[in-house]
Amino acid sequence: YYKYGATKTINNTLYYYFSDSALTTGISPITIPTKTGHTFTGYYTKDNNSADAGTQYILQGGGFTNSIYTNVTSNTTLYAHWTPNNYTITFAGNGATSGVPSALTRTYGQNVTFPSSVPVREGYTFKGWVHGGNVTDSTLTTTASSGSYMNGATAQASASSTNICWTASNCTYIATWAKQVTKPTWKGTVLYNGAARSANVTSLWNNYDTTYMTIGGTTSGTNVTSYNATFTPKAGYCWPDGSTSAITVAWSIVDSA
């Protein structure tokens, strides 16, 4: 028998009893329910969405209250009540010297708007906040499998359970960067000799480094004239203005006379 307020431990399990303190067996205790991102607060006679919660008969810890076995005299449905948890989002600058936002506290299920402040790192362009992916190098980012956001963007909590890392835990977003590289300029002299001549030679350019960029466009020619090569930053790199589009740079074959 159960009655709120009188307890006895049997085989490491706490039981509530009505009158027989000598009991050696008991009915299994209430199992505390779980719900992702929420804390159970008890069982009530009205559901969680009601303005009036009704009468609470099961406490947060599973114990009984309000004399459930004397007050409940017919079949009764009790409703689990929940409080959404709060989680903390912290930000790691990953080399930033300023502009890293303070931690955010958000309630489970809420959308998050990322702070408007932009972190600063000398020689780099900020590319966004990432979690769930891998930052294998401080200058590069790989695929952000669980979400990537820019400052001021709103992450929708209902989009998916993996879309925002704080859906059921605290988490950290990491700043990701593109390393700024200088745009190449032509410095070489390529003399006409009647055969095809190539411009795809790093020594013919200022700031052409195959580590950071690829060359395209017209990179070889035969005639004495000007040609247009293109340069495109590789993944994880950008031009000093933060752009990553191909740029066109002229080079030429000149008369040997």
Side-chain angles (χ1 to χ4, degrees), residues 73-182:
T73 58
S74 61
N75 294 335
T76 301
T77 299
L78 299 180
Y79 299 88
H81 279 220
W82 307 94
T83 298
N85 297 333
N86 289 325
Y87 296 105
T88 300
I89 304 173
T90 54
F91 297 90
N94 190 25
T97 56
S98 63
V100 178
S102 300
L104 301 177
T105 299
R106 287 295 181 267
T107 302
Y108 178 85
Q110 284 186 350
N111 297 340
V112 167
T113 299
F114 284 77
S116 59
S117 61
V118 177
V120 175
R121 184 181 182 189
E122 185 69 26
Y124 294 83
T125 295
F126 176 66
K127 302 300 289 185
W129 300 104
V130 64
H131 79 88
N134 297 307
V135 179
T136 57
D137 182 273
S138 60
T139 65
L140 304 175
T141 63
T142 61
T143 300
S145 61
S146 296
S148 180
Y149 303 96
M150 292 296 292
N151 291 61
T154 298
Q156 303 296 325
S158 60
S160 83
S161 60
T162 60
N163 194 37
I164 307 175
C165 63
W166 54 271
T167 46
S169 64
N170 301 324
C171 75
T172 297
Y173 272 87
I174 302 172
T176 57
W177 306 94
K179 182 178 177 63
Q180 296 170 1
V181 294
T182 304

Side-chain angles (χ1 to χ4, degrees), residues 4-253:
Y4 171 70
T7 64
K8 183 174 184 178
T9 299
I10 304 173
N11 296 326
N12 297 318
T13 299
L14 182 66
Y15 292 93
Y16 291 78
Y17 69 89
F18 178 68
S19 61
D20 186 1
S21 62
L23 80 168
T24 57
T25 59
I27 301 172
S28 298
I30 294 293
T31 299
I32 304 301
T34 59
K35 182 180 180 181
T36 300
H38 292 75
T39 297
F40 173 71
T41 59
Y43 277 108
Y44 293 75
T45 54
K46 293 185 179 180
D47 67 39
N48 213 147
N49 297 319
S50 301
D52 173 15
T55 302
Q56 182 180 19
Y57 282 122
I58 306 295
L59 298 169
Q60 182 176 10
F64 299 89
T65 188
N66 290 322
S67 302
I68 184 173
Y69 284 102
T70 56
N71 288 336
V72 178
T73 58
S74 61
N75 294 335
T76 301
T77 299
L78 299 180
Y79 299 88
H81 279 220
W82 307 94
T83 298
N85 297 333
N86 289 325
Y87 296 105
T88 300
I89 304 173
T90 54
F91 297 90
N94 190 25
T97 56
S98 63
V100 178
S102 300
L104 301 177
T105 299
R106 287 295 181 267
T107 302
Y108 178 85
Q110 284 186 350
N111 297 340
V112 167
T113 299
F114 284 77
S116 59
S117 61
V118 177
V120 175
R121 184 181 182 189
E122 185 69 26
Y124 294 83
T125 295
F126 176 66
K127 302 300 289 185
W129 300 104
V130 64
H131 79 88
N134 297 307
V135 179
T136 57
D137 182 273
S138 60
T139 65
L140 304 175
T141 63
T142 61
T143 300
S145 61
S146 296
S148 180
Y149 303 96
M150 292 296 292
N151 291 61
T154 298
Q156 303 296 325
S158 60
S160 83
S161 60
T162 60
N163 194 37
I164 307 175
C165 63
W166 54 271
T167 46
S169 64
N170 301 324
C171 75
T172 297
Y173 272 87
I174 302 172
T176 57
W177 306 94
K179 182 178 177 63
Q180 296 170 1
V181 294
T182 304
K183 296 179 180 180
T185 58
W186 177 250
K187 70 175 182 178
T189 300
V190 177
L191 299 177
Y192 172 78
N193 66 2
R197 304 303 305 273
S198 175
N200 191 7
V201 179
T202 56
S203 61
L204 295 174
W205 301 89
N206 294 308
N207 307 311
Y208 173 29
D209 190 326
T210 57
T211 302
Y212 307 136
M213 65 192 73
T214 59
I215 190 171
T218 303
T219 59
S220 66
T222 304
N223 299 322
V224 176
T225 189
S226 179
Y227 302 90
N228 287 325
T230 60
F231 293 90
T232 306
K234 291 183 177 179
Y237 300 93
C238 67
W239 304 125
D241 62 1
S243 64
T244 57
S245 299
I247 62 169
T248 300
V249 183
W251 65 279
S252 61
I253 298 175

